[in-house]
Amino acid sequence: MTAEWWRDAVIYQIYPRSFADSTGDGYGDLPGIIEKIPYLAGLGVDAIWMSPFYRSPMADAGYDVADYEEIDPLFGDLSDADRLIATAHAAGLKVVVDLVPNHTSDEHRWFRAAVAAGPGSPEREMYHFHDGRGEHGELPPNNWKSVFGGAGWTRLTSPDGTPEQWYLHLFDVKQPDLDWSTERVREAFDGVLRFWLDRGVDGFRVDVAHGLIKADGLPDFDEEQSLLDGQSGPMWDQDGVHDVYRRWRRILDSYDGDRSLVAEAWVADPKRLALYLRPDEMHTAFNFQFLDNPWDAPSYREVIAATMAADEAVGAPTTWVLSNHDVLRHVSRLGLAEPGSSHEGLGAGDEQPDNVVGLRRARAATLMMLALPGSAYLYQGEELGLPDHTTLPDDLRQDPTWFRSEFTKPGRDGCRVPMPWAAEEPGLGFSPTGRTWLPQPDSYRGLAVDVQDGAPGSTLTLYRAALAARRGLALGSGELAWVPGGESVVAFDNGPVRVMTNVLGAPVELPEGYEVLLSSVPLHGHVLPTDTTVWLTRG
Ligand code: NOJ
């Protein structure tokens, strides 16, 4: 890692409820994560990012925060969080926590106070409360839809049963949107940032970073919303968001060390996304265009070049990612008939991915990603080559997408299944009692950590080797130079390494004078077969 660690770090995303359970209740927790810190340090990552662990009624798995300064009892308490930060730091890992500023839970004290204080009160100014349209206010203030499906507004009812004002929720009904044009909201979050910075965190992953400011007057917008689109419309990517990040940057810069901000912003135009990364704003932003890319060489070349150029223009590194807790894992995505196509989850009645082909492509995609300059995010379990659980019984689903889409979109539970640590233990070693909040698919047994640990050719072995080589050769802080590789080959040099990925093409000869440093599958002869990445060095 360079001094500004966020420029080239590999950051491992932990989804706390599914990582490791220490208590046996079937939900992962902070003590469970602490026990696995040596595993993460041994994997060779530089940092961890934890999805929300704050107090929450869990209407959206913790992205509905009821108290930003408390840990949910499901996960532990503040002393566990302190211990986790200290243990990670002692192991040389930076710690990034999730910050959810677009909305709170409806059980947050700010929202409760706003409801109680009534229309016109300063408490209500913290959220988007409006009178309804229509003669009796019976119609929502505008036609915005929720990202999870259904209407984006819900009407309150006062205790005596009379209908009241409406409030905006771009996500679930239990996630009211905060009104970031209000100074009170900004001040409240200054305090939240300081609370966690004082506890020693190295950065924040900012949820829905493109959503905080809504266009004046909340004009109608007809389109359906979807979490994974490069969203446009009066609720997304409004210029006013940048003031918020400038304010936060000043706070971060007032602390010692290199504290950083990473934007979760589904903004399709790389140049618009790069605006979040100007020198006085955020440090990095997930490159979801790369994640979303179809399995196709020309479009990989294009997306890599376009996003890097846009980021370079503002002096920022590009931040690569292939999987997270909101998308089909890349093994499953790349095993579809249309490889790489995005989906809001797969159910038993849907097309089932070919996990063998998917894993081969996923390993190739990962090796391509880890050779690119910039920082990179890994999602827990991808180092094991885990696929999604694509046949989860519908009655076990918990994602609000499933309910709010009226059972038409399976949602994201399939990528959130508890980790397999030990093949022969109950619950595959996730929990001491064998309980798991979602069932693990049969395929996870053969992919458990203890099966892959030290096994030649395993995906875990490949990740460890790639992370060690990436660090040793400083690829994250290197320079990319394109190399002509043919129609179906993505080829580039980064420092001493030549990287070639054959995407769906016929086998190609490897260049003379190079030796294979790493390859995503074993090679036979000096040939790069289809759906394979190699890292080469001059012999
Ligand atoms: C993005 C998060 O990653 C996702 O899990 C969540 O549902 C939405 N933001 C709303 O907070």
Side-chain angles (χ1 to χ4, degrees), residues 13 15 49 51-52 59-64 98-103 147-148 170-172 175 205-210 227 264 266 288 324-326 399-401 412 416:
Q13 180 189 356
Y15 197 64
W49 149 38
S51 277
D60 185 19
Y63 281 94
D64 49 320
D98 218 305
L99 187 72
V100 189
N102 180 66
H103 42 263
V147 170
F148 293 150
L170 289 181
F171 295 89
D172 191 66
Q175 293 168 295
R205 174 267 189 191
V206 180
D207 190 63
V208 199
H210 58 317
L227 188 64
E264 188 233 11
W266 293 85
F288 290 130
N324 66 31
H325 65 294
D326 288 330
D399 183 353
T401 310
R412 303 161 292 174
R416 299 175 173 181

Side-chain angles (χ1 to χ4, degrees), residues 339-408:
S341 54
S342 67
H343 273 274
E344 292 185 73
L346 291 177
D350 296 318
E351 174 200 349
Q352 292 297 303
D354 180 333
N355 286 337
V356 174
V357 173
L359 178 58
R360 180 184 178 114
R361 292 178 183 153
R363 289 167 58 126
T366 298
L367 274 202
M368 171 172 34
M369 171 173 89
L370 290 178
L372 288 164
S375 71
Y377 278 78
L378 306 179
Y379 176 48
Q380 66 179 43
E382 71 167 83
E383 76 279 20
L384 307 176
L386 297 186
D388 261 45
H389 193 330
T390 51
T391 55
L392 264 183
D394 286 343
D395 59 348
L396 298 180
R397 293 192 188 286
Q398 304 207 10
D399 183 353
T401 310
W402 172 243
F403 302 98
R404 291 190 58 86
S405 69
E406 295 181 346
F407 316 110
T408 57

Side-chain angles (χ1 to χ4, degrees), residues 128-133 139-143 153 166-167 217-218 220:
H128 291 276
F129 280 99
H130 288 278
D131 294 334
R133 294 193 284 198
L139 300 172
N142 71 18
N143 66 353
W153 295 90
W166 297 74
Y167 68 88
L218 308 181
D220 274 346

Side-chain angles (χ1 to χ4, degrees), residues 443-461:
S443 63
Y444 277 28
R445 183 175 304 280
L447 297 172
V449 172
D450 68 346
V451 174
Q452 298 199 43
D453 190 12
S458 76
T459 305
L460 182 56
T461 299

